[in-house]
Amino acid sequence: MKKITLLLLIFVLGFSNTNAQHSIAREWNEVLLNAIRSDFARPTVHARNLFHTSIVMYDAWAIFDNQAETVFLGKNFNDYNCVFNGITTPSDADAATHEIISFAMYRLLLHRFENAPGVTQITQEINDFFTSLGYDSSFDSIDYSGGSYAALGNYLASQIITYGLDDNSYEQFGYPNAYYIPDNPALILELYEDNTDIDPNKWQPLAFDTFVDQSGNILPDAVPSFLSPEWGSVDPFCLVPEDLDILNDGFDSYVYNNPGPPVYIQDSSDGDGIEDPYKWHFALVAAWSSHLDPADPTMIDISPGAIGNFDFDNLPQTFEEYQAFYDFINGGDASTGHTLNPATGLPYAPNLVKRADYARVLAEFWADGPDSETPPGHWFTILNYVSDHPDLEKRIAGQGPIVDDLEWDVKSYLSLGSAMHDAAVNTWGIKGYYDYIRPISAIRYMAGKGQSTDPSLDSFDRQGLPLIPGLIEVVETGDPLAGDNDENVGKIKIYAWRGPDFISDPETDVAGVDWILGGHWWPYQRATFVTPPFAGYLSGHSTFSRAASEVLTRLTGDPFFPGGMGTFVMNQDDFLVFETGPSQTMTLQWATYRDASDQTSLSRIWGGIHPPIDDIRGRIIGQKIGNEAFDLALTYFQDTLNDQEFGINETVSLYPIPFKNTLTVSNTENAQMKLYLFSLDGKVVFESDLFFGHADLNVTVLSRGMYFAKIVDANNTTIGVKKVVKN
């Protein structure tokens, strides 16, 4: 057993302490993650599965908690009314919760994975686990009126299943594309044909002899369709209509937090090809491909003392800032690391590795590779690793009492699952609308056009690749790439990873780096996969990972991994999948969750999947979603934080709660703020500026019911969110 199989084993056995007694929520989450690994690699679909299962498990716990509110059960959730008439309070709440969760998860997982390619294995594992708990799989009643907790679990599953058939995912039809049609013809990978007859700003499908998705499934369609281009219309958790644009480029695209367009190709003036942002972004991907040769002796320090710790507020916005942030030649970014490990008070020890091993490992580790749980599931494995760490104190948001494992798990899963779900909705809405090209198509397109740097040289074209000595050059007579009859003279060559054509046996071979024709450039991926089948802009990895890092930071109340560092070990020649490596045993290290997230983003550039323009805007949106999802989750948790009875924080309080026609706000901070009241479906129904002192707000226009009060400061930074009720 080696490579990705070993990776999964380490995650299950190393990132999780199997000697510990886990909660029933954790055990079912592991069953779900295994099911995802045996299904098609669909990040959108599985972000939704992780979210819906998180709701089910949280609500099963919350109905017996004096403080918590359910999310779905007994509520109107996204205009779906889940009726709940109550149930007898159990003498043993833990046993009742265990039963409800188990029946609900059993029914929901069997339904959600009934069409998976690994359905036989998945069904067997679900059944084996369920029966090992002592439950009867033949009991399928949903009538809980007699006090049956098993029936309530079945009912809860049936309700979330019914809701999911009307949440705009089109689950019942196999999650199809209703309207999207690609603008470009497919790139036939094995023929290395000219690729200049495309729109270089649009996504291009890829044509395979055999396509194998990231979960290792062979798909019958040799030209995989764009995955989920209309996913922006799926019902969200924390995304609000005020952040939504409905745009049309052939069909209505639901785009939340619209980042604006990516960079589009320009006709460069004479001699300044590298000054076109489009050419710079994709040329950087080609340049970083030169780092993937284990024969390269370049060593770098990948300890938290050397990398990470970049200030989010200083992420690049302008082209000049992008150029300063990313190291075009050497790889990496402008982060400088952490001075000390806060848990030990000592500096982080250097961790010197080959740059080639680091870049190759990142490309596979964060991509998740074959047998993947997809990026949203990957962050659940990291959450489970954190939850098992002996240094972690399970205090929600790092405050209040230590909670038991079940409460920690259901609250952490709801927080992370909702963020992953909304990150998918937000990101794929953007992908579907902007429909942006991937590096394999852009680089081969520009290389086919020629070079955009020197009009006096062969193959000058204003949409060609910029020339960079030692990285991107023109083939000349006598060059090994010139061909027997100089047929390649004047073409563009790139110093890059040579690609899968140079790997016969992935157990022993490496492709290495050398000069290749630009039309033969490959991302660092398997030849049967190459690039995910959907548009690049924005990066799902950057958005998912930044949202997850914010949730973990907020959930634990600490930006740092327990003990000040998270780690993952890869053994020599026993990790990489499509070539052998790493050349030496190495350990990935992250001080903070945000550092791990930022490393994920860089991994996609080294992997040849995204240019920087896809990355940064994904990080920015992920940051927003992670915090907003956690803020909203807190409103369901209620008094798990040390808030004043009616307070948002120490400086802002609302009273009386419940209120009738007047809501009084006390602002003891001498700063301007703003209050928003949201309805349960996420619509802003009232807003008011807040100044120093007290204000009596007339809210007679509001109907009776529950609302969410959100306070933001002058920079639109959330100060707090609290659930309020009008009588």
Side-chain angles (χ1 to χ4, degrees):
M1 185 188 304
K2 69 178 292 188
K3 298 187 178 181
I4 282 297
T5 304
L6 179 63
L7 163 64
L8 295 174
L9 184 66
I10 295 173
F11 258 116
V12 174
L13 301 184
F15 264 33
S16 303
N17 180 4
T18 55
N19 293 322
Q21 184 65 45
H22 289 138
S23 76
I24 188 63
R26 168 63 177 277
E27 291 178 323
W28 275 111
N29 179 253
E30 297 286 5
V31 173
L32 168 60
L33 291 172
N34 278 336
I36 290 173
R37 293 170 185 132
S38 296
D39 194 10
F40 296 114
R42 300 178 289 190
T44 49
V45 172
H46 294 309
R48 177 175 172 271
N49 286 331
L50 287 158
F51 176 47
H52 288 183
T53 55
S54 297
I55 290 176
V56 162
M57 293 193 288
Y58 173 80
D59 278 9
W61 171 85
I63 58 175
F64 301 130
D65 184 81
N66 292 329
Q67 304 297 331
E69 287 285 343
T70 57
V71 175
F72 181 73
L73 188 64
K75 297 293 174 33
N76 187 301
F77 184 74
N78 283 325
D79 293 329
Y80 181 86
N81 185 28
C82 178
V83 176
F84 177 51
N85 297 318
I87 196 166
T88 305
T89 301
S91 57
D92 186 343
D94 288 343
T97 301
H98 191 286
E99 189 169 359
I100 297 168
I101 286 177
S102 295
F103 273 86
M105 289 292 288
Y106 178 70
R107 299 297 175 197
L108 179 56
L109 294 186
L110 286 178
H111 168 78
R112 285 289 168 83
F113 292 93
E114 63 184 354
N115 295 316
V119 61
T120 302
Q121 174 185 338
I122 293 170
T123 301
Q124 185 68 50
E125 181 172 352
I126 293 171
N127 278 313
D128 287 349
F129 179 65
F130 185 72
T131 55
S132 76
L133 300 174
Y135 295 124
D136 180 5
S137 61
S138 68
F139 181 80
D140 58 4
S141 171
I142 61 172
D143 182 6
Y144 60 88
S145 60
S148 168
Y149 301 115
L152 180 56
N154 288 335
Y155 173 76
L156 180 53
S158 71
Q159 288 293 297
I160 201 79
I161 288 169
T162 303
Y163 163 75
L165 300 179
D166 195 34
D167 69 348
N168 298 316
S169 68
Y170 303 114
E171 173 196 335
Q172 62 269 45
F173 306 114
Y175 311 100
N177 299 340
Y179 306 105
Y180 175 86
I181 299 174
D183 286 352
N184 284 322
L187 173 63
I188 303 174
L189 293 163
E190 64 182 17
L191 298 182
Y192 295 114
E193 294 179 320
D194 177 80
N195 198 44
T196 58
D197 190 24
I198 65 168
D199 182 341
N201 297 316
K202 293 290 188 178
W203 179 71
Q204 181 180 29
L206 302 180
F208 295 82
D209 182 39
T210 301
F211 176 68
V212 182
D213 74 6
Q214 280 189 282
S215 292
N217 300 299
I218 299 175
L219 272 67
D221 187 356
V223 184
S225 300
F226 191 129
L227 174 73
S228 306
E230 298 141 21
W231 202 258
S233 64
V234 172
D235 290 340
F237 176 70
C238 69
L239 299 173
V240 295
E242 288 68 32
D243 290 332
L244 173 64
D245 291 332
I246 300 178
L247 307 172
N248 192 294
D249 186 18
F251 61 92
D252 283 346
S253 293
Y254 287 69
V255 177
Y256 292 91
N257 299 304
N258 187 359
V263 291
Y264 295 134
I265 197 165
Q266 301 173 16
D267 285 337
S268 301
S269 300
D270 294 352
D272 67 350
I274 197 64
E275 296 306 315
D276 172 3
Y278 178 103
K279 299 184 183 72
W280 181 89
H281 279 271
F282 287 105
L284 180 141
V285 178
W288 286 24
S289 181
S290 69
H291 303 157
L292 301 172
D293 190 347
D296 180 352
T298 302
M299 304 291 287
I300 59 173
D301 184 358
I302 64 167
S303 76
I307 58 176
N309 196 29
F310 192 84
D311 183 2
F312 176 81
D313 293 333
N314 290 324
L315 285 177
Q317 302 289 334
T318 68
F319 178 43
E320 292 73 22
E321 290 170 346
Y322 272 88
Q323 291 173 302
F325 179 75
Y326 294 92
D327 190 330
F328 191 102
I329 300 299
N330 299 306
D333 60 24
S335 64
T336 56
H338 302 263
T339 304
L340 297 174
N341 180 330
T344 65
L346 300 173
Y348 289 98
N351 182 10
L352 293 171
V353 301
K354 284 185 177 181
R355 180 181 60 185
D357 282 340
Y358 179 65
R360 293 188 303 151
V361 158
L362 289 194
E364 287 204 25
F365 177 80
W366 288 113
D368 299 322
D371 299 319
S372 164
E373 60 271 13
T374 74
H378 192 171
W379 278 97
F380 268 76
T381 67
I382 293 174
L383 167 61
N384 290 337
Y385 160 67
V386 170
S387 298
D388 285 345
H389 200 288
D391 289 348
L392 178 72
E393 291 188 342
K394 294 181 177 179
R395 305 178 193 272
I396 304 298
Q399 301 180 38
I402 294 176
V403 300
D404 62 34
D405 289 347
L406 178 59
E407 180 174 350
W408 174 264
D409 287 339
V410 296
K411 289 182 175 180
S412 62
Y413 291 159
L414 179 64
S415 302
L416 183 58
S418 61
M420 297 298 91
H421 176 267
D422 279 20
V425 172
N426 203 149
T427 303
W428 264 258
I430 292 168
K431 285 178 182 287
Y433 177 70
Y434 287 109
D435 196 28
Y436 196 51
I437 195 167
R438 290 280 191 170
I440 186 169
S441 298
I443 291 171
R444 290 192 182 189
Y445 170 86
M446 289 189 288
K449 284 288 188 179
Q451 54 87 14
S452 56
T453 297
D454 190 343
S456 69
L457 294 179
D458 289 340
S459 305
F460 177 76
D461 189 282
R462 297 183 188 280
Q463 293 194 357
L465 276 169
L467 297 179
I468 303 169
L471 291 172
I472 303 173
E473 297 180 357
V474 177
V475 175
E476 299 176 347
T477 300
D479 191 299
L481 294 176
D484 294 339
N485 300 305
D486 279 355
E487 63 270 19
N488 294 326
V489 170
K491 292 184 179 180
I492 303 303
K493 64 177 183 178
I494 303 173
Y495 192 67
W497 186 64
R498 295 194 299 170
D501 291 344
F502 292 85
I503 300 171
S504 297
D505 183 356
E507 296 285 327
T508 58
D509 296 345
V510 293
V513 168
D514 204 346
W515 288 104
I516 60 173
L517 293 173
H520 291 205
W521 185 87
W522 291 87
Y524 186 70
Q525 305 290 326
R526 287 179 290 114
T528 52
F529 174 71
V530 181
T531 290
F534 41 82
Y537 181 80
L538 297 169
S539 166
H541 277 70
S542 291
T543 313
F544 284 131
S545 297
R546 194 67 191 197
S549 73
E550 292 307 301
V551 168
L552 286 168
T553 298
R554 297 283 303 280
L555 174 69
T556 62
D558 189 345
F560 287 83
F561 277 84
M565 186 164 66
T567 62
F568 189 88
V569 178
M570 289 88 167
N571 291 324
Q572 180 179 356
D573 293 331
D574 202 23
F575 176 77
L576 299 181
V577 172
F578 46 91
E579 64 177 12
T580 191
S583 63
Q584 298 175 325
T585 297
M586 60 178 290
T587 303
L588 294 180
Q589 299 173 328
W590 320 282
T592 69
Y593 306 114
R594 291 165 183 156
D595 291 345
S597 167
D598 292 346
Q599 187 183 86
T600 306
S601 298
L602 296 179
S603 79
R604 303 305 275 169
I605 302 176
W606 266 307
I609 299 299
H610 286 291
I613 194 65
D614 296 355
D615 167 21
I616 295 299
R617 295 178 186 177
R619 298 194 207 188
I620 292 169
I621 291 175
Q623 175 106 352
K624 184 173 186 288
I625 290 173
N627 282 290
E628 291 182 350
F630 191 76
D631 285 340
L632 185 51
L634 283 180
T635 67
Y636 294 104
F637 303 164
Q638 283 199 358
D639 292 338
T640 51
L641 296 182
N642 293 329
D643 288 344
Q644 299 172 11
E645 185 177 1
F646 307 123
I648 293 288
N649 61 10
E650 295 89 354
T651 62
V652 183
S653 58
L654 311 176
Y655 57 91
I657 305 294
F659 58 93
K660 289 188 177 180
N661 294 325
T662 301
L663 176 64
T664 300
V665 184
S666 174
N667 176 12
T668 60
E669 182 175 344
N670 190 15
Q672 182 177 354
M673 300 181 184
K674 195 158 189 171
L675 165 73
Y676 294 92
L677 293 181
F678 291 85
S679 60
L680 289 179
D681 60 359
K683 296 182 174 64
V684 174
V685 294
F686 183 88
E687 60 183 87
S688 176
D689 291 324
L690 303 178
F691 300 92
F692 180 71
H694 292 72
D696 294 325
L697 306 179
N698 186 331
V699 289
T700 55
V701 296
L702 299 181
S703 58
R704 295 176 61 184
M706 186 181 301
Y707 298 89
F708 298 123
K710 179 178 179 179
I711 305 290
V712 300
D713 65 16
N715 296 319
N716 205 37
T717 299
T718 299
I719 301 299
V721 178
K722 189 166 184 68
K723 182 169 56 183
V724 295
V725 177
K726 182 181 179 185
N727 284 339

